[in-house]
Amino acid sequence: MNTPPTLWEYRLQPEDSGHKYLSILLHKFHFSVKLLQRLKQGERVWVNGNFSYLTARGKEGDMLSLQLFSEEEASIPGEDLPLDILYEDDYLLAVNKPVGQVVHPNRRYPTNTLGNAVIGHWERKGENRLYRPIHRIDRNTSGVVVIAKNQFAHQQLAWQLERGHIHKRYHGFVEGVVQENQGAIDDSIGFAPNSFIKRQINPDGMSARTLFRVLHRYTSATFLEFILETGRTHQIRVHCEGFGHPLIGDDLYGGTKTFFDRHALHSSMYAFLHPATGLPLVIRAPFPKDLRGLIIKLRDLEI
């Protein structure tokens, strides 16, 4: 299989004149030093169609072209599994992950993961790529997961994520009626005692901030929208338990499974700047069947 090369191009602007191509890529486009070293060693840098050194200085109108690495040996086996694709181009793949699927293989779940499904999808397209998810969501959380298709895209999105430039929105159903129309939860999170899985609110833990907004109040439940300003493990689940309204079905964090058998949380939206074009890109995932069924159940309880 031969993965088609991905070409990144930029025409130098007046403010770029006199600057080294290396400096432009580092400071204007936030390329990592490691990636630029790989491009240099592979002679994958051209200016106006001719090979160039990164230390050369550019001028307005120059066309800087980089052949990004696309041909990489997959580190996990591909499998022929269903994949709900929301968006795909040469740089990114965004999918709507189903409930019950792990994002990355591990000892407990070595197969049937999202990673196996993604690699299998690329193999059927004749592409060799590494699996690089930008973020992870819990096995029983449904919704958007974004995967980088090359080292450049991964590095660019990781840069945005570290600086809070990626906006993540979740929707969930919690037990009880939340009185505030909106608010913020600022409680640090750390490991619960004697557990490698469960977290808890801990003043000595890592800072965590979750914004919430009430979308609908039911008789004994509330439909909420969450915006994460940090990305701690189980952040929404821990914060919901902490302010007295655990997610419906989340028995690990104080919820009950009376009429829903998993925590009622969905990764609805992921917004960021496209790594190649710099233009805003918004990925949205519709609710899965079980959450749509939960809405019907909650409405029936009001009758």
Side-chain angles (χ1 to χ4, degrees), residues 2 70 74 80 82 92 127 145-146 169 173 213 278 282 288:
N2 295 312
S70 298
D80 188 4
L92 303 169
E127 300 179 8
V145 176
V146 177
R169 187 165 298 174
F173 297 82
R213 180 168 67 96
V282 180

Side-chain angles (χ1 to χ4, degrees), residues 84-258:
D84 184 2
I85 297 174
L86 302 171
Y87 177 88
E88 186 173 18
D89 62 18
D90 288 341
Y91 294 85
L92 303 169
L93 171 66
V95 302
N96 187 6
K97 187 189 80 67
V99 176
Q101 189 176 55
V102 174
V103 171
H104 202 286
N106 56 43
R107 289 184 180 180
R108 187 176 179 185
Y109 300 98
T111 60
N112 297 310
T113 72
L114 181 61
N116 300 118
V118 167
I119 295 299
H121 164 68
W122 286 336
E123 287 176 347
R124 291 190 294 276
K125 293 178 64 179
E127 300 179 8
N128 286 334
R129 300 186 186 275
L130 289 178
Y131 178 58
R132 294 184 173 100
I134 302 303
H135 62 121
R136 300 189 187 194
I137 57 178
D138 295 339
R139 179 171 65 89
N140 283 326
T141 299
S142 54
V144 179
V145 176
V146 177
I147 300 106
K149 294 183 68 172
N150 55 52
Q151 184 182 2
F152 168 73
H154 185 265
Q155 175 251 305
Q156 289 287 300
L157 291 184
W159 186 90
Q160 292 186 44
L161 189 64
E162 290 170 2
R163 287 155 181 78
H165 297 165
I166 291 179
H167 302 284
K168 295 171 284 184
R169 187 165 298 174
Y170 290 74
H171 288 97
F173 297 82
V174 300
E175 297 182 2
V177 179
V178 178
Q179 297 301 318
E180 304 91 340
N181 290 329
Q182 59 186 20
I185 306 172
D186 285 292
D187 290 319
S188 298
I189 295 174
F191 279 103
N194 304 315
S195 177
F196 291 104
I197 299 175
K198 189 176 181 181
R199 268 66 170 178
Q200 68 178 19
I201 291 174
N202 184 339
D204 297 324
M206 301 184 72
S207 62
R209 180 176 171 86
T210 303
L211 307 181
F212 70 88
R213 180 168 67 96
V214 171
L215 299 180
H216 188 82
R217 293 183 178 92
Y218 298 93
T219 302
S220 59
T222 309
F223 178 29
L224 294 174
E225 177 183 76
F226 301 99
I227 296 177
L228 295 183
E229 292 197 350
T230 54
R232 310 305 176 203
T233 299
H234 296 179
Q235 178 172 318
I236 293 174
R237 301 169 66 186
V238 174
H239 276 172
C240 284
E241 179 187 40
F243 88 135
H245 295 280
L247 288 165
I248 291 174
D250 193 359
D251 57 353
L252 183 63
Y253 291 103
T256 60
K257 294 188 174 182
T258 305

